[in-house]
Amino acid sequence: MRLDGRFGRFGGCYVPEILVPALEQLEVAFLDAQDDPAFAAELNGLLANYAGRPTPLTRCRNLPGNIYLKREDLLHGGAHKTNQVLGQGLLAKRMGKCRLIAETGAGQHGVATAIVGALLGFETLIYMGAEDVERQQLNVFRMRLMGAEVIPVESGGRTLKDAINEALRDWSASFESTHYLLGTAAGPHPFPTMVREFQRIIGREARAQILEQLGRLPDAVVACVGGGSNAIGLFADFIADDVRLIGVEAAGKGLDGDEHGATLLRGTPGILHGAETYVLQDSDGQVTDTWSVSAGLDYPAVGPEHAHLKDSGRAEYVGATDGEALAAFKALAESEGIICAFESAHALAHAIKLAEQEPASAILVGLSGRGDKDVAQAERLLA
Amino acid sequence: MSRYAAMFNCLGGGGAFGAFLMLGDPDLETSATLLDAAVEAGADMIEVGIPFSDPVADGPVIQAAAQRALAAGVRVGDCLDLIAALRARHSALPIGILTYANIVVARSGFIRDAAEAGADSLLIADVPALEAEPFGREMDQAGIEPVFIAAANTPEQTLRRIASLSKAYTYCVSRAGITGTHLAGQFDSGLIDRVNRAGAPPPVFGFGISMPEHVRAALSAGAKGVICGSAIVEKVGLGEDITPLIRSLKAATRERLGAAMN
């Protein structure tokens, strides 16, 4: 490897030996592409004319305080995921791969991968926990409509973690023809670095937009954290600024119990899915099942750069419960006319809390996705 | 001399037969009995899995075995006790652990405890040579021999690194992918030659060994031995006797010896 893939003590490349050459090939392709103006031109063209960048920055009119929403919900595909699948899709072409595999939780990354598979002409296969297949029927249909095959994963807790296990198993036999299009800023090097670079556009645009609209930087930047790709993309260009960075994890049914996905708040350092990072686990190192109302935050590890941002003190991590997220989801719909994803509602829940305490603060929230996929569940939960 | 080195020395013209079993599968008591049965049936070396919740290098058979053990409440400490008991019964038997990085890092002093229990080697499936240094240092201090995986796509530079880091044997995979009997291996003498040229420890073929002809093909390719995992563990899952399978596979490792003596 050319880079060490470490963020402080976290990160690295903990995979079976057979996958190391595939990750080395990916690192080389990524670094070469970063220096290639033709790659940047093609990617930027797709981001602008296909995916709809830049996305707007919206100041909330009716929620308390000064909340600004970075509207990744308006991106093609309905979430920030599209930014980085376009980048990885072009890299897969560069490497001469003909097949894409991906894992998905809520289905947003699966949809994004199906989009790029259709657009760039890949055979596409999505691993999705059987539990998630049941609760995200709309996204399953979307993926299939765009020509992707969706494989329900029956092992373990039948959610995102198990889908990643299955994708890694597939890749260890198929790497010559296949690119594993990992969906978040987690996993083995080079994924955390590469996904951050492809998602950096979120924070770069938001920083310029808030400087233009407000005339200064925000006081706090808030994003939800599952694997952590939308948060790291939003944070990246603010890390050098004097701005609070706040990641919001899924506190599920409460941080005091076992039913949550708050890896940074309740986990301990370990090694899972290729990286040293915080992991929700027992004292033997067995990974524990997680819970969140939002399938996209239902994950027992987290991107290694977040682990480092936490330990170094540069970012703060807090939790929002299922109930708090649902209340924020409803409040945004009622007061601003925006239906956001349950994942994004976690970030918004904390932002509203902060805005009530600090009405003068400008708070930038990553609204990472739209809520169409969640409305059926919301209808049941709000009844 | 290490137990592995002594065992390889005593094989004459034949090959070593390694039997893999998941510790605690389906429960602690049965597991102890199965370990003894494997030795009595002729296994020259025993490779034991310590169950992990997320075994990404394993196919459905070994995954199910880990799940059975975890569902039975088996803890890492119980697995070390099983190893210690096996060691007490078989003082010369090479015993190797195959597990995952999170099991190793979660328990402070895991490597020392494994050595004290009597394990001779440790293969961490998701620690490639690239990340091996801190683990290797600790294993050297504890007196446990590191084992690494070599595959057809492993470059020379990595093989040389494996040679400098590892001791007991080199786990050569007969094909890409995960453990399991669903796909036959390619027992390629090219990989064995490359491992030998790099100066790595004795090459042993694993993945896709379920029939005597696989054993013969692996040894003809120049391997010093074979490891059979999924085919044995599948029998455990079905509650079937593992002895006939191990006997027939072990017998195939002696055929070359027989051929050499004729």
Side-chain angles (χ1 to χ4, degrees):
Chain A
M1 292 285 181
R2 291 198 215 160
L3 308 175
D4 77 351
R6 293 272 166 184
F7 308 92
R9 66 172 282 198
F10 299 104
C13 189
Y14 296 91
V15 293
E17 194 70 62
I18 193 121
L19 281 176
V20 172
L23 291 163
E24 282 174 340
Q25 180 193 24
L26 180 59
E27 188 201 44
V28 167
F30 167 64
L31 293 174
D32 288 353
Q34 293 290 93
D35 294 334
D36 180 357
F39 180 86
E42 187 171 12
L43 178 56
N44 291 336
L46 285 173
L47 287 170
N49 304 319
Y50 179 75
R53 299 214 75 89
T55 58
L57 182 75
T58 303
R59 183 177 182 277
C60 291
R61 286 180 173 237
N62 304 308
L63 285 175
N66 293 293
I67 295 177
Y68 290 80
L69 306 173
K70 180 58 177 167
R71 301 290 306 279
E72 295 302 293
D73 61 315
L74 293 176
L75 194 67
H76 176 53
H80 72 289
K81 300 287 185 186
T82 308
N83 296 324
Q84 76 104 2
V85 296
L86 289 171
Q88 285 201 51
L90 292 178
L91 282 183
K93 280 271 167 219
R94 245 175 127 86
M95 292 186 289
K97 310 283 178 180
C98 56
R99 177 173 174 263
L100 298 177
I101 55 171
E103 82 295 340
T104 196
Q108 287 305 104
H109 176 58
V111 166
T113 305
I115 286 172
V116 80
L119 179 70
L120 300 180
F122 292 101
E123 179 192 341
T124 305
L125 192 149
I126 310 293
Y127 289 101
M128 186 170 189
E131 170 88 23
D132 293 334
V133 168
E134 284 155 27
R135 58 180 169 174
Q136 301 288 349
Q137 282 295 326
L138 180 66
N139 273 343
V140 172
F141 179 69
R142 275 198 185 120
M143 290 182 256
R144 289 179 173 153
L145 189 62
M146 289 184 281
E149 189 181 347
V150 180
I151 308 273
V153 176
E154 298 285 353
S155 59
R158 306 157 83 231
T159 63
L160 180 56
K161 164 185 88 111
D162 312 292
I164 295 177
N165 290 342
E166 235 18 70
L168 282 168
R169 290 177 186 129
D170 179 317
W171 203 34
S172 68
S174 64
F175 52 83
E176 283 185 16
S177 67
T178 300
H179 175 59
Y180 177 17
L181 210 164
L182 186 71
T184 188
H189 175 70
F191 285 108
T193 300
M194 181 175 72
V195 173
R196 179 197 64 211
E197 289 309 304
F198 288 141
Q199 291 293 6
R200 184 186 283 276
I201 186 92
I202 305 172
R204 179 163 298 159
E205 283 176 8
R207 193 174 183 281
Q209 287 165 322
I210 202 161
L211 282 173
E212 193 189 314
Q213 289 184 27
L214 181 67
R216 66 175 179 87
L217 290 172
D219 298 287
V221 176
V222 184
C224 64
V225 178
S229 69
N230 101 84
I232 207 69
L234 184 61
F235 290 175
D237 271 28
F238 289 99
I239 285 176
D241 296 325
D242 184 19
V243 168
R244 285 175 72 188
L245 303 177
I246 306 172
V248 185
E249 294 195 302
K253 297 179 182 172
L255 290 173
D256 295 334
D258 294 328
E259 291 179 285
H260 57 72
T263 307
L264 290 161
L265 293 169
R266 288 292 179 271
T268 49
I271 295 173
L272 184 66
H273 293 150
E276 184 165 5
T277 185
Y278 279 80
V279 178
L280 288 166
Q281 56 185 324
D282 70 13
S283 60
D284 270 358
Q286 309 297 352
V287 180
T288 50
D289 286 332
T290 51
W291 167 261
S292 170
V293 68
S294 68
L297 303 183
D298 202 351
Y299 181 55
V302 64
E305 192 164 5
H306 286 294
H308 177 58
L309 288 172
K310 173 192 156 81
D311 275 17
S312 66
R314 177 60 191 95
E316 313 153 51
Y317 294 87
V318 299
T321 63
D322 289 352
E324 289 168 333
L326 201 62
F329 170 86
K330 191 160 176 271
L332 186 69
E334 284 173 354
S335 56
E336 307 291 334
I338 298 170
I339 297 170
C340 72
F342 278 173
E343 289 77 11
S344 321
H346 286 73
L348 187 68
H350 185 73
I352 293 171
K353 212 184 278 181
L354 199 61
E356 283 165 349
Q357 292 160 5
E358 307 174 14
S361 290
I363 302 166
L364 171 62
V365 178
L367 207 71
S368 53
R370 70 176 184 222
D372 306 43
K373 69 183 176 60
D374 296 317
V375 291
Q377 202 184 351
E379 190 178 11
R380 282 195 305 275
L381 293 168
L382 292 169
Chain B
M1 189 184 287
S2 82
R3 291 188 185 91
Y4 279 102
M7 182 271 296
F8 283 120
N9 267 351
C10 294
L11 285 170
F17 181 75
F20 171 89
L21 285 161
M22 181 64 71
L23 292 174
D25 170 34
D27 56 66
L28 290 171
E29 202 180 324
T30 314
S31 182
T33 313
L34 289 167
L35 291 167
D36 281 339
V39 178
E40 275 151 33
D44 302 297
M45 51 196 258
I46 296 284
E47 303 302 304
V48 292
I50 295 183
F52 178 48
S53 54
D54 293 84
V56 295
D58 286 305
V61 171
I62 309 275
Q63 286 174 48
Q67 276 310 311
R68 284 192 295 269
L70 293 174
V74 170
R75 305 288 310 263
V76 171
D78 299 325
C79 294
L80 296 174
D81 291 345
L82 277 175
I83 293 171
L86 180 65
R87 168 58 64 226
R89 294 192 297 272
H90 306 279
S91 61
L93 175 74
I95 304 173
I97 296 175
L98 276 63
T99 193
Y100 287 85
N102 205 45
I103 295 295
V104 176
V105 298
R107 181 189 176 100
S108 157
F110 173 89
I111 288 172
R112 186 199 57 219
D113 293 348
E116 279 173 10
D120 297 295
S121 73
L122 173 59
L123 190 167
I124 312 171
D126 52 349
V127 174
L130 179 70
E131 297 287 0
E133 214 162 282
F135 295 93
R137 249 195 323 271
E138 216 184 312
M139 285 190 240
D140 280 345
Q141 281 163 8
I144 197 164
E145 300 185 273
V147 174
F148 291 92
I149 285 185
N153 70 340
T154 307
E156 309 304 320
Q157 197 189 344
T158 307
L159 288 178
R160 284 196 297 274
R161 195 168 156 71
I162 288 172
S164 73
L165 286 163
S166 66
K167 290 214 181 78
Y169 63 95
T170 305
Y171 194 125
C172 296
V173 292
S174 67
R175 54 165 170 75
I178 52 179
T179 60
T181 53
H182 55 293
L183 279 175
Q186 302 263 330
F187 302 103
D188 173 21
S189 61
L191 173 60
I192 301 296
D193 292 344
R194 292 199 304 125
V195 166
N196 286 333
R197 271 203 307 278
V204 169
F205 260 126
F207 285 30
I209 304 268
S210 61
M211 293 192 268
E213 65 229 53
H214 302 145
V215 175
R216 286 190 283 268
L219 297 181
S220 300
K224 290 280 181 280
V226 293
I227 294 175
C228 172
S230 296
I232 296 174
V233 171
E234 196 159 33
K235 300 240 174 258
V236 175
L238 295 167
E240 293 175 7
D241 188 1
I242 61 172
T243 299
L245 173 67
I246 294 176
R247 278 206 180 124
S248 70
L249 296 177
K250 176 57 202 169
T253 70
R254 295 196 191 97
E255 286 171 17
R256 220 166 42 136
L257 176 62
M261 279 164 44
N262 288 337

